[in-house]
Amino acid sequence: MWKKVLAVLVVVGVGAGLAIWGAGPKTIATSDEGNVTESKYYKQLKQTPVGQQTLADMVVTEVLDSEYGKNVSKKDVDKKYDETRKELGDQFEQQLAQTGMSAQTYRDSIKLDLLKREAVKANTNFSKSSLEKIYDDYQPKTSASVILLGSEDDAKKIIKELDDKDGDFSKLAKKYSGDTDSKKNGGKLDDFDSTSTKVDANVKKAAFDLENGKYSEKPVKAASNSGYYVVKRNTQEKKPSYDDMKNDLKSLRVDEIMSNEDDVNVIIGKELGKANVNIKDPDLKNALAKYTQAAASDAADKQKKSDK
């Protein structure tokens, strides 16, 4: 969550400080060589990418909040906020300080993300075929252990020891693994399913492909670092039925769309169009271009298909 929101934080933070954009000649900085007024600052800042994106986020927030704000409560925002604070622990305040953000600014960015999610949900056709595909691809909660080695050859040596000497996976993990988080637990990771983002993608795939109690016969190249894993699947829960998972599948479908920036831009562009957004300042006329152009391109593609 934090990585996704971090890019928004700086923009939202600047926007909070520019709530009086276009105000009169109030001086915000003085020197013996001259003063900087709000209007001068505004004129300079609006030419920058940060200034353009700040306006875009402010407009998008206003439009989506008007349409979907009733579905995003303070409780929802606080829940996401607390989850991130718990995940980062002592580093949370440090991360905020490094970006020059306040707790409130971070909450504002979370709210914007939740509003986008509501817009995606409202503009998504949850067809049975799309939900069935997600169900087929879904892997339920899985318990796995890993040994992270620095090279492929080192990983092969561990596999050979497991093969030839019936080695104890847990003991080998404690002795050799470079994964400091799981090492003390004999290589055991926190349980995960196919939607989890905290586990290396290649480790997940390897664990899902294995049978309970089996370990990888070949080293698994890490997707997130330069090492190699030996992966063991401990257990996997039984997959729920399609009907039992139907509501969760809709949420997973929204997650799928939210991970594709182009798809999200199309939806936001449509919402801006419905709200008749009109930017008056010619210097900022392209601030919403990535949304409006995405929506226009999507509409044109659909028209071409319907004409065939």
Side-chain angles (χ1 to χ4, degrees):
M1 173 63 185
W2 178 264
K3 289 182 179 179
K4 185 176 182 181
V5 161
L6 193 57
V8 180
L9 284 176
V10 174
V11 172
V12 172
V14 173
L18 296 178
I20 50 175
W21 268 17
K26 183 178 178 181
T27 300
I28 58 176
T30 63
S31 75
D32 293 340
E33 306 302 325
N35 300 335
V36 177
T37 62
E38 286 176 348
S39 59
K40 187 183 294 185
Y41 179 54
Y42 165 65
K43 184 176 181 180
Q44 183 71 23
L45 186 61
K46 69 179 181 178
Q47 309 289 337
T48 67
V50 170
Q52 299 270 330
Q53 187 60 51
T54 298
L55 177 65
D57 282 350
M58 292 172 73
V59 172
V60 170
T61 298
E62 287 294 323
V63 170
L64 298 186
D65 192 42
S66 175
E67 186 69 23
Y68 304 108
K70 60 183 179 295
N71 298 328
V72 178
S73 67
K74 182 179 182 298
K75 185 177 179 181
D76 296 329
V77 174
D78 288 344
K79 180 181 178 182
K80 289 289 184 181
Y81 179 91
D82 291 339
E83 286 175 356
T84 305
R85 185 171 58 180
K86 182 178 179 181
E87 179 183 339
L88 291 177
D90 294 338
Q91 295 181 1
F92 180 70
E93 297 296 337
Q94 181 182 349
Q95 291 279 12
L96 286 180
Q98 287 178 352
T99 56
M101 296 297 105
S102 67
Q104 185 55 53
T105 302
Y106 180 49
R107 283 188 166 89
D108 290 342
S109 68
I110 293 173
K111 182 176 181 180
L112 176 57
D113 192 62
L114 292 175
L115 287 170
K116 289 181 179 180
R117 186 177 181 86
E118 288 299 318
V120 167
K121 192 185 301 182
N123 284 273
T124 298
N125 177 21
F126 296 102
S127 65
K128 186 175 181 180
S129 60
S130 66
L131 296 182
E132 286 178 340
K133 182 181 185 306
I134 292 173
Y135 178 77
D136 291 341
D137 293 341
Y138 177 74
Q139 292 283 348
K141 185 180 290 186
T142 301
S143 168
S145 300
V146 298
I147 303 174
L148 175 62
L149 289 308
S151 70
E152 186 175 12
D153 287 341
D154 288 340
K156 287 180 178 179
K157 290 177 183 178
I158 294 297
I159 293 173
K160 182 173 176 56
E161 184 164 351
L162 289 168
D163 289 340
D164 296 346
K165 301 179 182 179
D166 195 24
D168 186 306
F169 196 99
S170 178
K171 289 182 179 179
L172 291 173
K174 290 180 178 179
K175 185 175 182 179
Y176 295 110
S177 183
D179 186 337
T180 55
D181 290 335
S182 66
K183 182 174 184 175
K184 60 182 179 294
N185 297 319
K188 188 178 182 309
L189 303 171
D190 290 338
D191 292 350
F192 57 90
D193 62 15
S194 54
T195 69
S196 302
T197 58
K198 296 181 181 179
V199 179
D200 185 281
N202 290 345
V203 169
K204 286 200 300 181
K205 184 178 185 308
F208 296 148
D209 289 342
L210 290 167
E211 296 179 0
N212 291 345
K214 301 295 184 179
Y215 55 84
S216 51
E217 297 179 354
K218 296 180 180 179
V220 177
K221 192 177 188 313
S224 55
N225 59 59
S226 58
Y228 286 81
Y229 286 99
V230 181
V231 180
K232 179 183 178 182
R233 176 162 129 179
N234 302 317
T235 59
Q236 186 180 67
E237 292 184 356
K238 182 180 179 181
K239 189 174 183 176
S241 69
Y242 174 86
D243 288 337
D244 288 342
M245 279 196 69
K246 194 167 185 178
N247 287 333
D248 291 331
L249 294 174
K250 290 181 179 180
S251 180
L252 292 177
R253 175 63 178 145
V254 173
D255 290 341
E256 188 176 73
I257 297 172
M258 286 290 291
S259 67
N260 188 317
E261 185 179 2
D262 291 338
D263 289 345
V264 175
N265 287 347
V266 168
I267 290 171
I268 293 176
K270 291 178 180 178
E271 294 290 343
L272 295 176
K274 288 190 293 184
N276 295 315
V277 173
N278 183 18
I279 295 178
K280 303 295 187 179
D281 191 325
D283 291 330
L284 293 164
K285 64 181 180 180
N286 293 322
L288 301 172
K290 71 176 181 180
Y291 304 121
T292 56
Q293 290 176 4
S297 178
D298 180 71
D301 289 342
K302 288 180 178 178
Q303 184 61 48
K304 287 180 181 178
K305 290 179 181 178
S306 66
D307 291 342
K308 290 182 179 179

